[in-house]
Amino acid sequence: MQTLPNLTTAQPTPNTALTDTTIHRRKTRPVPVGNITIGGGNPVVVQSMINEDTLDIDGSVAGIRRLHEIGCEIVRVTVPSMAHAKALAEIKQRLARTYQLVPLVADVHHNGMKIALEVAKHVDKVRINPGLYVFEKPNPNRTEYTPTEFAEIGEKIRETLEPLVISLRDQGKSMRIGVNHGSLAERMLFSYGDTPEGMVESALEFIRICESLDFRNLVISMKASRVPVMLAAYRLMAQRMDHLGMDYPLHLGVTEAGDGEYGRIKSTAGIATLLAEGIGDTIRVSLTEAPEKEIPVCYSILQALGLRKTMVEYVACPSCGRTLFNLEEVLHQVREATKHLTGLDIAVMGCIVNGPGEMADADYGYVGKQPGYISLYRGRDEIKKVPESQGVDELIKLIQADGRWVDP
C-alpha cells in the first residue's frame, strides 16, 4: 500500500491557519509494537481485535491471519484468565511456524497483574484499563474519598503496576493505557465526576508511575461510546500532555459504536475529526460485526483525509440534468475494473461543464462529451474521444500505456 509523504508537524501561522489544507500532526515519540512503530511521524497504524476465544488456538490463529492479510497491522486478543495468557504462547509459535509473526496486543482487565505478567512474555504490547486493573467493588454508602484514602489506593496501584512495567521495560515492549469512559474507577468518579477530566487524570496517574520507573513505551487511549465525550477527552489529553512535556502517541476509537451504516458514521465522526486536527497515531473502528469489516473503514478514513493511500480515489459528480450517461452505472463499471490499483485518482464526470475543471487534480478522467461518446483525460489533457461502450476498456489501455496498470 502507498503511504503519502510524512505530513508536517509544524503549525501554521495565524494568517494562514484558515486556508491551510495540510494536516499538522501532533509530534509524538515512536513506540514499537513488534515490527510496527506507532507515532514518531510514522503513518497512522490500523488495528483491530479478533473475537475468537483465545483458548481456541486454531480459531485464534486463523482470525489473526485473516485480519493481517487484509491490512490490519496490529491485532489485539482478550486475556481474561491465566489459561488464556498461556495459550498466547502457542498462538505466537503457531503464527511463526505457519504464517509469520504478527504484532500482538493482549487485553488485560480486572485485577490483572498475574495475567499481565504472564502474557507480557508472549505479546508485543499489553493493554490495561486504569479503571479495572486494580478493581475494587464500589461502596454504595460512600460519600467521599479522603486524601489519605485516595493516596492509599494510588500506592496500591503502583505496587500492582510496577512488576508489569519493569517486565515490559526490560523486554523493550510496550503498554497501552486504555481509559474507558464507562469504566472509570470509583475514586476518579468521586473526585472529577463522570467527565473527560476524570478520564485524563486516570491516564496521567498511570503515566506518572511508568515514567517514575523509566518506562516510556506508552500509547494512550480515551475511548467513549458518545462522540462528543470522546472528542473532548482526547483533546484535553493532548493538551495536558503538551503542557506537561509528554509526547505519547494516541490510539483513537469510539468504543461500542454499533453496526451497519450508523456504526461506521459514528466511528468516522470521532476518529476523522481528531485526525484532521493532527491528533492520533493509530486507530481502531469498533463494529458489532466481523472484525474484518473494520479494516476497510479504517483505510477509507485515512484515505479521505490524505493520510494514507491504499486504494483508488474516485472523484464523481452527483449527476444532474446535463449528465450524458448513467453516471451511477458507469462509476460502478470503472470502480470494478480499477479497484485493485493503488495510488491513482480517477474522475468520472457526467458532462463537460463539471469535467475538466472539477477533476483537475485527478490522474485520469472519464467525461461525458456528447451523447454516446466520452472523452478520456490524463490530468488536464484530453487524450481521446471514444464511444461510450468502449470507455472502460480504453481507460484501462490508457493506464496501461502509462505503465501504471497491474493485473488484479
Side-chain angles (χ1 to χ4, degrees):
M1 68 190 67
Q2 177 184 0
T3 296
L4 299 186
N6 187 30
L7 300 184
T8 180
T9 56
Q11 296 303 306
T13 66
N15 291 335
T16 62
L18 293 178
T19 57
D20 186 16
T21 60
T22 300
I23 292 178
H24 299 270
R25 293 180 62 192
R26 175 176 168 265
K27 188 175 181 180
T28 57
R29 68 172 49 239
V31 174
V33 184
N35 61 2
I36 294 291
T37 302
I38 298 174
N42 287 285
V44 177
V45 174
V46 170
Q47 56 182 288
S48 183
M49 183 176 187
I50 63 169
N51 54 18
E52 285 83 4
D53 186 332
T54 315
L55 293 177
D56 176 4
I57 305 294
D58 291 338
S60 295
V61 169
I64 292 166
R65 180 169 177 169
R66 280 196 306 272
L67 280 171
H68 193 258
E69 286 177 336
I70 61 170
C72 181
E73 295 162 298
I74 297 175
V75 181
R76 183 157 49 110
V77 297
T78 187
V79 202
S81 74
M82 187 62 75
H84 289 82
K86 291 180 178 179
L88 263 170
E90 175 60 26
I91 289 171
K92 184 174 182 178
Q93 292 170 9
R94 187 82 61 85
L95 283 168
R97 189 168 64 248
T98 64
Y99 178 55
Q100 66 182 77
L101 288 176
V102 174
L104 296 178
V105 181
D107 214 25
V108 178
H109 282 283
H110 295 80
N111 293 323
M113 182 181 71
K114 291 182 179 179
I115 296 171
L117 283 172
E118 173 62 29
V119 84
K121 304 173 188 175
H122 315 304
V123 298
D124 304 292
K125 183 170 72 171
V126 175
R127 182 268 171 137
I128 60 169
N129 182 339
L132 301 174
Y133 188 69
V134 177
F135 181 71
E136 295 190 5
K137 188 175 181 179
N139 180 356
N141 299 318
R142 182 184 293 278
T143 58
E144 67 173 349
Y145 269 92
T146 66
T148 300
E149 288 176 312
F150 198 98
E152 286 175 350
I153 296 177
E155 186 56 34
K156 183 177 180 182
I157 288 173
R158 180 183 178 86
E159 292 173 0
T160 308
L161 187 63
E162 184 171 339
L164 174 61
V165 169
I166 291 172
S167 174
L168 293 173
R169 181 196 68 193
D170 292 350
Q171 294 183 80
K173 295 182 177 181
S174 303
M175 176 191 293
R176 171 155 71 99
I177 298 174
V179 179
N180 268 8
H181 180 240
S183 57
L184 285 177
E186 184 184 51
R187 68 195 179 111
M188 290 296 173
L189 291 173
F190 269 95
S191 301
Y192 301 98
D194 188 12
T195 63
E197 289 85 351
M199 297 172 69
V200 169
E201 290 303 322
S202 183
L204 287 174
E205 179 178 49
F206 276 65
I207 291 173
R208 290 185 178 111
I209 294 171
C210 293
E211 288 187 337
S212 73
L213 296 165
D214 195 28
F215 178 61
R216 290 176 173 80
N217 280 351
L218 302 174
V219 178
I220 315 300
S221 64
M222 313 293 291
K223 294 188 179 182
S225 59
R226 290 176 51 220
V227 172
V229 175
M230 174 260 198
L231 293 174
Y234 277 105
R235 286 168 176 156
L236 181 60
M237 189 74 224
Q239 182 188 71
R240 289 294 305 280
M241 284 199 291
D242 289 346
H243 177 73
L244 294 167
M246 298 175 177
D247 57 357
Y248 300 111
L250 288 168
H251 168 128
L252 303 185
V254 179
T255 191
E256 297 139 6
D259 65 349
E261 182 181 40
Y262 185 64
R264 287 161 172 77
I265 291 172
K266 189 174 180 180
S267 290
T268 301
I271 294 171
T273 298
L274 291 169
L275 287 174
E277 296 173 11
I279 296 172
D281 301 276
T282 180
I283 63 174
R284 190 253 172 127
V285 169
S286 300
L287 297 177
T288 313
E289 300 179 27
E292 300 93 289
K293 299 290 185 68
E294 298 177 357
I295 308 307
V297 188
C298 291
Y299 280 121
S300 292
I301 291 171
L302 296 174
Q303 172 119 351
L305 291 169
L307 291 171
R308 297 188 78 163
K309 199 151 191 175
T310 58
M311 60 191 87
V312 173
E313 182 84 13
Y314 295 98
V315 179
C317 62
S319 186
C320 69
R322 297 189 303 267
T323 302
L324 295 174
F325 52 77
N326 186 324
L327 191 61
E328 185 175 355
E329 179 181 320
V330 170
L331 177 59
H332 174 75
Q333 292 172 356
V334 171
R335 178 182 282 113
E336 286 301 302
T338 60
K339 66 183 180 181
H340 65 286
L341 301 175
T342 299
L344 296 182
D345 293 344
I346 299 177
V348 180
M349 312 300 283
C351 72
I352 200 65
V353 174
N354 282 341
E358 298 296 329
M359 68 174 203
D361 293 331
D363 297 301
Y364 299 98
Y366 184 114
V367 181
K369 189 81 168 185
Q370 66 187 65
Y373 287 84
I374 59 98
S375 287
L376 293 177
Y377 284 73
R378 180 191 291 118
R380 295 174 180 265
D381 299 324
E382 183 176 359
I383 303 302
K384 63 174 72 173
K385 184 171 68 175
V386 300
E388 182 185 334
S389 61
Q390 300 172 20
V392 175
D393 289 338
E394 291 296 325
L395 173 63
I396 292 173
K397 290 178 183 178
L398 178 58
I399 299 172
Q400 288 173 332
D402 290 344
R404 304 184 73 176
W405 177 265
V406 295
D407 290 329

